[in-house]
Amino acid sequence: MGQRGDRAPCLPLLLLMLLLAFCRGRIVRVPKGPLIRVLGTEVAIPCSVSDYDGPSEQNFDWEFARETDFVRIVSTWDSTFTSEEYQKRVGHGDIKLRRSSNDAVELVIKNIQPTDQGRYKCSTPSTDATVQGNYDAEVQVKVISDGLWVSGSKGRSSTSLKLSEGDSFKLRCSAITTSPEHTHLHVTWQIKSGLSWQDILSLTHEGKFQPGPGYEERYRDGDIRLDTGANDTYRLSVSQASSVDAGAYRCLVSEWVRGADSSWQKIQEKSVEIASVSIQRTVLDVLISTSNLSVTERDSLDLTCNITTDRSGIFQAEVTWYFSGSPDDTLSDAQVLLSMDHDSVVSDSTLISLSHVDRNSYRLLVRDVGVEDSGYYFCQAAVWVPLHNGSWHKVVERTSAPVSVVVTALEPDYEVFLNASKTPKFSDDPTELECRITNAQDTEANIRFTVSWYYKKHLPGDDVATEELLATMDADWTLLLGDRSRERTQNGEIIFSKKAVDTFSLRIQWTSESDRGDYFCVISAWSRHRNNSWVKSKDVTSAPVSILWATQDYTLTVEAVKLKPFFVAGHTFEMTCKVSSKNIKTPRYSVLITAEKPLTDQSNPNGTTRIISLNQDSVVRLEDWTDQTRVDGVVLEKVQENEFRYRMYQTQISDAGLYRCVVTAWSPGGGGMWREAVNGLSNPIQIDFQTSGPVFNVSVHSDNLTIYQGELADLLCIITTDGMALEPDDMSFDVSWFAVRSFALDREPVLLASVDRRGIVTQSRRNGSSDLSLERISPLEFRLRVHGCEDHDFGNHYCVVTPWVRSATGVWQQEPAVKAKPVFLSVKMDVLNAFKYPLLIGIGLATVIGLLSCLIGYCSSRWCCKKEVQETRRERRRLMSMEMD
């Protein structure tokens, strides 16, 4: 029962395959008949085969029957197939087979006759393994008489038309059919201007108008129409004829019939040439009567544009005048001055007029010309003709050659004189210059003057300095400042003014050394144009004026004096700075105190430290003083006009060095400002502490400098003292730990952690997972611990200790920092611990996968792969005894 159930699903599949095998077979197709064809035309009957076996290229046999019996016509594979009746027509090629593909041919009959009307059968020899499908197909062909007649207008032959550009013309043809069948006509007008005919407009057999390629826009605009008239006439109307409309015109008529499959079939086609059309271009010449012209400013410019044409009849001219700055500019780049359209409407303009002098002359008049009117003038003319619908069409357009017009400006005549009404005798004295216009002529109301001021510095030898613009005025007297004078003018130190119509002035309120040099002015004349704009017409430059005065060099002397020759740490350091100057008018001084520390001082590796300053207005400012515990420990004050005193309270050992006074002398400038005159530097005052205190030594120690990853590293910073013994309470230390991540100490040290003398611990930011701890384990020992060492914790490690000692007066003194010799810490990897967990994980995974594989194999063999074997049933019978036989 189990085996019978397994075969049951296969039965529907076998039945479906057998059904498909019986349904599949060869199919031969011909068009659905009857096929209606016209007597004397060429007929092509297609035949194709599909769903066949064997070679891809199939053979075909054609037979014909008028009533019942078929007669063999032609074959693709057997040359003896043709019957005697058709041998002559097949031999002459009047009947032939034309293969279109491996599985399709066409039976072609030239000049079909009434005797060719009947049934045609197409058959294919079998190449299939089994006979299936159809191997032939028949189609009925019906031959009708030729009833289509096509002719020109009133039966005339082709005519010749000579037209002018823009004219309209009409062409007619007649087409009629007397066919016994219900046929439709398809009429197409064509033009031949080259080697091939091109469609213009068609009235299809379905009654639709269809413009040819390139004629769609003209058809939509109504310039090309196809109308039907009485007596089966078809009229082509063309408006606005151009050169593309020249050529031979013909009327092409085709006859169509609806087949049995409801599709349209063209059964014949005839054409007749109607006319030969030639289009004569309209000649138009455009010329400006005047050649190159020169006009004086404020005069009128008169130009005439003459046009000539061979056009006759009704037409109108359109004229447009253009202006361009270059003779090579195109019309799109040129400026339109005025235009007159074909309705004699002139565009509006105030100073320019366009008039129609006579039929062929158009006059342009420009009044009150200016320099900006210099350039090239040309006119463009177009001829317009009326259309049948009352609109106008432009048939030709031409542009004249440009005429050069030069407008000579009326330049004013004047001179410029520059003099110094006030000259400085000393620095900071005022300076005033006046620039005057003299001997002015031809300066009418349309002329205005502006000034530009320039400065040129004196250079030694033959060196030539460049001119620097101080300020300039534009046409509306707006002041534009140069880079040199912008800031001082905005502050009121430099004043530019116009004192009178012909006088401009420059005033420097407080003349400085940088103002020494030559000054000159440039007077510009501006002319007003018709559009009320101003154009510069002339520049006149004055002679330069030198601004110089006798000068003496500034001198400044600074002397520093230490008031207390001997003192010890913790006392007050005091020194004075005395200043003397020459050739400086009412000076004021600013003082800066600097200190040059020993090279062993790591707080300032550059050497010089700016401590405190006092400016010329007696404002005190702390510069680079960074000791927060002694913010008020330095004082700088002014004792007299030329004497300053510096105090430093509670001096420490770290304050040792050379101290100087840097003094700057200032003289009063313009607008209450101070101007720097000269700088001076005092002699150095040395602070040197002679002490017999203890000497501190620092070393780094570790019991184990080679450790494994994840272990703890201990580093001890041990401080020892030599010399005078101190109590632990009188000593305090700032300890910082550094590491250099290299073997050769060739990299920048990295701060690990630090603890100040108050016990505050600071750690730097770390990227790894290891951690640090810093603690003080005894008065002279500090321990750094690295917990969970990683490979990036290797390197040279050292500590830097800054001792603080309390003096007998109870003041804490900072001692010089001491750096320990670095020790190298190596971090190694524990191979056994590194691979212990991966090995255990791998063994565990392998064991689990093996057990799982055994379980899957057992289950598969127990349940999935078991086969039911049906044993043959045997009867159990005992053998009979021979004696019982």
Side-chain angles (χ1 to χ4, degrees):
M1 294 297 291
Q3 292 178 351
R4 192 174 301 168
D6 294 340
R7 292 173 185 156
C10 296
L11 293 177
L13 180 62
L14 291 175
L15 292 175
L16 179 61
M17 293 178 63
L18 290 174
L19 180 61
L20 291 175
F22 283 115
C23 292
R24 183 179 180 274
R26 178 185 294 258
I27 299 176
V28 178
R29 295 185 180 90
V30 293
K32 189 176 182 181
L35 300 180
I36 300 174
R37 296 296 182 261
V38 178
L39 177 68
T41 61
E42 181 179 284
V43 177
I45 306 174
C47 178
S48 63
V49 61
S50 62
D51 298 334
Y52 58 87
D53 296 333
S56 60
E57 184 177 271
Q58 294 290 298
N59 290 307
F60 297 84
D61 297 334
W62 282 90
E63 297 177 88
F64 170 71
R66 292 187 181 89
E67 294 179 357
T68 58
D69 298 332
F70 281 92
V71 180
R72 292 177 294 177
I73 303 176
V74 66
S75 174
T76 59
W77 63 286
D78 187 3
S79 60
T80 62
F81 180 80
T82 306
S83 65
E84 184 178 357
E85 180 181 352
Y86 285 97
Q87 286 181 357
K88 184 176 180 181
R89 296 179 67 183
V90 172
H92 291 166
D94 293 338
I95 298 177
K96 62 181 180 180
L97 288 180
R98 184 166 57 203
R99 183 178 288 275
S100 55
S101 64
N102 288 337
D103 55 1
V105 297
E106 289 181 345
L107 175 64
V108 180
I109 304 175
K110 296 182 179 180
N111 191 16
I112 193 170
Q113 298 298 318
T115 56
D116 296 323
Q117 177 173 299
R119 291 180 293 122
Y120 288 83
K121 181 172 68 173
C122 174
S123 60
T124 59
S126 175
T127 59
D128 305 326
T130 58
V131 177
Q132 298 173 0
N134 67 313
Y135 286 80
D136 57 60
E138 296 183 11
V139 61
Q140 179 75 27
V141 176
K142 181 179 181 181
V143 181
I144 63 176
S145 60
D146 183 5
L148 178 63
W149 179 80
V150 181
S151 66
S153 177
K154 297 181 181 180
R156 293 182 299 180
S157 59
S158 176
T159 60
S160 297
L161 297 178
K162 293 184 178 181
L163 304 173
S164 297
E165 194 173 14
D167 289 347
S168 301
F169 63 93
K170 297 180 181 180
L171 301 177
R172 294 178 177 84
C173 80
S174 298
I176 189 172
T177 180
T178 59
S179 174
E181 299 292 331
H182 181 68
T183 60
H184 288 197
L185 297 183
H186 182 120
V187 180
T188 302
W189 281 94
Q190 294 181 320
I191 182 174
K192 183 179 181 182
S193 57
L195 299 178
S196 59
W197 290 95
Q198 182 181 1
D199 291 349
I200 300 175
L201 185 59
S202 301
L203 177 59
T204 67
H205 54 278
E206 295 179 327
K208 299 178 181 179
F209 289 100
Q210 181 177 348
Y215 288 89
E216 295 87 349
E217 185 176 355
R218 296 182 66 182
Y219 171 73
R220 289 194 297 268
D221 295 339
D223 294 337
I224 295 178
R225 303 192 315 276
L226 197 161
D227 302 319
T228 59
N231 300 325
D232 300 310
T233 59
Y234 298 88
R235 181 175 65 248
L236 174 68
S237 301
V238 179
S239 302
Q240 304 179 16
S242 61
S243 57
V244 298
D245 296 323
Y249 287 77
R250 77 173 182 180
C251 180
L252 179 66
V253 181
S254 58
E255 191 172 8
W256 294 70
V257 65
R258 189 182 294 274
D261 57 354
S262 299
S263 64
W264 286 98
Q265 301 174 6
K266 183 168 67 173
I267 59 177
Q268 71 166 325
E269 186 177 76
K270 292 183 180 181
S271 65
V272 61
E273 290 197 17
I274 303 301
S276 177
V277 178
S278 61
I279 306 297
Q280 182 180 0
R281 287 182 173 272
T282 301
V283 178
L284 177 64
D285 294 328
V286 182
L287 178 66
I288 299 177
S289 59
T290 307
S291 59
N292 296 341
L293 187 63
S294 178
V295 183
T296 305
E297 191 178 12
R298 308 302 180 195
D299 288 347
S300 297
L301 174 63
D302 192 351
L303 298 174
T304 302
C305 180
N306 297 321
I307 63 173
T308 56
T309 180
D310 61 349
R311 188 81 186 186
S312 59
I314 301 174
F315 71 91
Q316 290 291 344
E318 178 185 20
V319 176
T320 304
W321 280 92
Y322 290 90
F323 170 78
S324 174
S326 171
D328 300 326
D329 286 350
T330 60
L331 288 179
S332 59
D333 299 328
Q335 175 188 355
V336 178
L337 298 178
L338 274 183
S339 63
M340 178 185 292
D341 61 12
H342 56 271
D343 293 327
S344 298
V345 177
V346 181
S347 55
D348 187 21
S349 180
T350 304
L351 298 175
I352 307 176
S353 62
L354 176 60
S355 58
H356 194 178
V357 180
D358 54 38
R359 180 174 176 81
N360 298 324
S361 299
Y362 297 84
R363 179 189 179 192
L364 175 70
L365 181 63
V366 183
R367 304 178 185 86
D368 194 18
V369 295
V371 179
E372 72 278 6
D373 295 321
S374 297
Y376 295 88
Y377 292 77
F378 50 95
C379 72
Q380 183 185 64
V383 173
W384 294 72
V385 296
L387 300 179
H388 63 281
N389 57 1
S391 62
W392 290 81
H393 169 60
K394 181 167 61 176
V395 296
V396 65
E397 188 177 61
R398 296 289 184 271
T399 304
S400 71
V403 172
S404 176
V405 175
V406 178
V407 179
T408 305
L410 295 175
E411 292 186 355
D413 187 13
Y414 60 94
E415 296 178 359
V416 178
F417 175 72
L418 177 64
N419 72 307
S421 57
K422 290 183 181 180
T423 57
K425 295 181 179 179
F426 301 98
S427 179
D428 298 329
D429 284 350
T431 300
E432 186 169 357
L433 303 176
E434 290 185 351
C435 185
R436 296 179 179 273
I437 303 171
T438 60
N439 301 327
Q441 298 178 4
D442 298 330
T443 56
E444 53 188 23
N446 291 323
I447 298 294
R448 64 172 48 171
F449 297 98
T450 60
V451 67
S452 299
W453 292 95
Y454 291 89
Y455 164 80
K456 183 185 292 185
K457 185 178 181 180
H458 278 170
L459 294 179
D462 297 332
D463 296 341
V464 178
T466 57
E467 301 172 356
E468 296 183 63
L469 176 66
L470 299 178
T472 184
M473 292 182 180
D474 58 13
D476 58 355
W477 292 315
T478 301
L479 186 65
L480 305 176
L481 300 175
D483 295 336
R484 178 181 177 83
S485 63
R486 180 175 289 109
E487 183 176 356
R488 297 178 65 187
T489 303
Q490 293 173 351
N491 295 334
E493 299 180 29
I494 300 179
I495 300 175
F496 299 94
S497 61
K498 181 179 181 182
K499 292 187 174 181
V501 177
D502 57 352
T503 304
F504 301 89
S505 69
L506 162 63
R507 180 180 177 86
I508 304 176
Q509 298 286 72
W510 301 277
T511 311
S512 62
E513 289 291 333
S514 60
D515 295 326
R516 297 163 63 94
D518 292 337
Y519 293 80
F520 63 93
C521 63
V522 177
I523 298 297
S524 302
W526 298 75
S527 301
R528 184 165 58 187
H529 287 186
R530 293 189 307 268
N531 57 359
N532 291 325
S533 64
W534 294 88
V535 177
K536 186 187 295 185
S537 59
K538 189 176 182 179
D539 286 334
V540 177
T541 305
S542 71
V545 172
S546 297
I547 301 299
L548 299 171
W549 63 90
T551 60
Q552 293 181 353
D553 294 336
Y554 298 140
T555 59
L556 183 66
T557 304
V558 183
E559 181 184 4
V561 178
K562 182 164 54 173
L563 300 182
K564 295 181 180 180
F566 302 102
F567 67 97
V568 296
H571 289 185
T572 300
F573 168 72
E574 187 174 0
M575 76 173 185
T576 60
C577 299
K578 295 184 178 181
V579 184
S580 61
S581 61
K582 294 182 180 179
N583 303 324
I584 303 177
K585 184 179 179 181
T586 61
R588 285 191 183 182
Y589 306 102
S590 61
V591 181
L592 171 65
I593 304 300
T594 63
E596 298 178 11
K597 299 298 185 67
L599 295 178
T600 57
D601 186 2
Q602 297 184 359
S603 63
N604 187 13
N606 296 326
T608 302
T609 302
R610 298 160 53 95
I611 300 177
I612 192 171
S613 64
L614 183 145
N615 66 5
Q616 67 271 19
D617 295 326
S618 300
V619 177
V620 179
R621 175 185 175 185
L622 286 175
E623 299 291 340
D624 298 334
W625 184 261
T626 57
D627 192 348
Q628 299 298 325
T629 61
R630 294 193 298 159
V631 175
D632 298 329
V634 290
V635 176
L636 178 60
E637 57 186 352
K638 183 176 181 181
V639 181
Q640 298 179 6
E641 263 320 304
N642 59 345
E643 184 177 352
F644 302 87
R645 181 167 54 201
Y646 170 68
R647 287 194 182 100
M648 182 166 55
Y649 301 100
Q650 297 181 0
T651 55
Q652 300 180 4
I653 301 298
S654 59
D655 295 328
L658 298 177
Y659 288 76
R660 299 177 186 268
C661 297
V662 180
V663 180
T664 301
W666 300 80
S667 62
M673 304 297 292
W674 289 94
R675 181 173 56 86
E676 182 179 341
V678 67
N679 295 319
L681 184 65
S682 72
N683 55 298
I685 300 297
Q686 185 176 11
I687 297 179
D688 187 12
F689 298 98
Q690 301 296 329
T691 177
S692 58
V695 177
F696 295 92
N697 301 312
V698 181
S699 62
V700 177
H701 174 74
S702 177
D703 293 335
N704 186 12
L705 292 176
T706 301
I707 59 176
Y708 291 96
Q709 289 184 359
E711 293 184 351
L712 175 67
D714 280 348
L715 298 174
L716 294 178
C717 182
I718 303 174
I719 305 170
T720 59
T721 60
D722 295 333
M724 184 179 65
L726 294 176
E727 293 295 329
D729 293 339
D730 294 334
M731 294 183 297
S732 183
F733 304 96
D734 292 337
V735 180
S736 299
W737 280 92
F738 294 89
V740 180
R741 307 300 186 190
S742 67
F743 295 94
L745 297 174
D746 55 352
R747 296 185 180 178
E748 290 292 329
V750 178
L751 176 64
L752 300 179
S754 64
V755 57
D756 61 9
R757 58 194 180 99
R758 299 178 182 84
I760 300 175
V761 178
T762 303
Q763 291 189 15
S764 62
R765 187 175 181 180
R766 299 177 60 80
N767 297 325
S769 59
S770 60
D771 198 4
L772 295 176
S773 64
L774 178 59
E775 59 183 341
R776 179 179 179 179
I777 60 177
S778 70
L780 298 178
E781 290 183 353
F782 295 84
R783 179 169 60 190
L784 173 70
R785 284 186 171 181
V786 183
H787 303 270
C789 287
E790 296 181 355
D791 54 353
H792 60 78
D793 291 321
F794 86 101
N796 290 280
H797 292 67
Y798 64 91
C799 63
V800 176
V801 177
T802 303
W804 290 78
V805 178
R806 183 159 54 185
S807 64
T809 59
V811 178
W812 286 95
Q813 298 291 326
Q814 180 180 354
E815 298 291 331
V818 183
K819 176 182 176 182
K821 183 178 179 180
V823 296
F824 188 79
L825 180 65
S826 299
V827 180
K828 295 184 178 181
M829 181 177 67
D830 190 349
V831 178
L832 179 60
N833 290 330
F835 289 98
K836 178 171 62 179
Y837 292 106
L839 286 174
L840 292 176
I841 294 174
I843 293 172
L845 289 176
T847 304
V848 171
I849 292 174
L851 294 176
L852 184 61
S853 300
C854 294
L855 179 61
I856 293 173
Y858 174 76
C859 294
S860 300
S861 61
R862 182 67 178 83
W863 289 289
C864 299
C865 300
K866 183 178 179 181
K867 295 183 178 179
E868 183 179 353
V869 180
Q870 185 175 3
E871 297 181 355
T872 305
R873 185 176 181 181
R874 299 179 183 180
E875 295 182 357
R876 296 182 179 179
R877 297 180 181 179
R878 296 180 180 180
L879 295 177
M880 297 178 60
S881 174
M882 294 296 295
E883 296 178 356
M884 295 178 61
D885 187 7

